[in-house]
Amino acid sequence: MFKKMFAVGILGTAIALTGCESTPNAASHIQAANLLQLQNRSWIATHIGNTAIQTTPAAQNSPSLQFDAASKRVSGRDGCNRIMGSYEAGRDTLVLGQMAGTKMACLDSNNLSQQFNEALTKVTNYQVFGKTLKLLDRHGNMVLQFTAPVQPR
């Protein structure tokens, strides 16, 4: 009798513990979906704050970012120079590490690269909706907005 109760108790405990460990929650699904949309695609900047960026979409110097999931590195262009750095992303949080860049001489009469780099220093959160990425400051204000270009087939 004691052996049966002991065996049932051990079996019940094992089922309860493995059931708790393998039950995924909704928050982890949301985080995975957000990261999947953020990472491993090109993002072309369309706005700095509420101001539209006036460049042609095909221009080589358009401000852009790419987030590489495998290396946790971000790279892109600021409108003049190539930039790169590290990042950490969560469900809706985004922490950009120290950014490095090339130092090319550019004819940037509207200070686009400077404005873009200053905006990047304010980023703490992100939102992805389809082909739109918004980078937000700690107050929830949009500092940068991007679009994912349509890839030719």
Side-chain angles (χ1 to χ4, degrees):
M1 176 86 168
F2 179 71
K3 287 182 181 180
K4 276 187 178 180
M5 293 177 81
F6 183 72
V8 169
I10 294 291
L11 183 60
T13 302
I15 290 172
L17 290 178
T18 57
C20 292
E21 289 179 23
S22 63
T23 305
N25 60 21
S28 65
H29 286 300
I30 292 170
Q31 179 173 340
N34 285 350
L35 288 174
L36 185 63
Q37 290 182 52
L38 173 71
Q39 298 170 335
N40 301 325
R41 68 193 312 181
S42 293
W43 294 103
I44 307 297
T46 59
H47 292 80
I48 296 177
N50 293 324
T51 306
I53 296 174
Q54 302 299 322
T55 61
T56 59
Q60 292 292 328
N61 63 345
S62 294
S64 62
L65 293 177
Q66 299 85 36
F67 297 90
D68 182 51
S71 65
K72 297 293 185 203
R73 303 286 298 167
V74 59
S75 61
R77 298 183 87 55
D78 66 6
C80 175
N81 291 292
R82 299 170 95 196
I83 56 174
M84 70 239 32
S86 62
Y87 76 94
E88 287 292 326
R91 177 179 178 176
D92 63 354
T93 59
L94 181 62
V95 178
L96 298 174
Q98 182 70 33
M99 300 296 280
T102 59
K103 297 290 184 190
M104 299 189 301
C106 300
L107 299 174
D108 187 9
S109 60
N110 58 1
N111 287 336
L112 177 62
S113 60
Q114 181 181 352
Q115 292 173 15
F116 185 78
N117 285 307
E118 285 175 4
L120 284 177
T121 64
K122 299 175 185 174
V123 173
T124 60
N125 295 82
Y126 74 99
Q127 295 175 341
V128 182
F129 301 104
K131 294 191 180 299
T132 302
L133 168 65
K134 293 182 180 183
L135 300 184
L136 312 169
D137 67 12
R138 62 188 176 101
H139 302 292
N141 301 315
M142 183 183 73
V143 294
L144 291 164
Q145 182 172 313
F146 297 82
T147 187
V150 177
Q151 300 294 328
R153 292 183 186 233

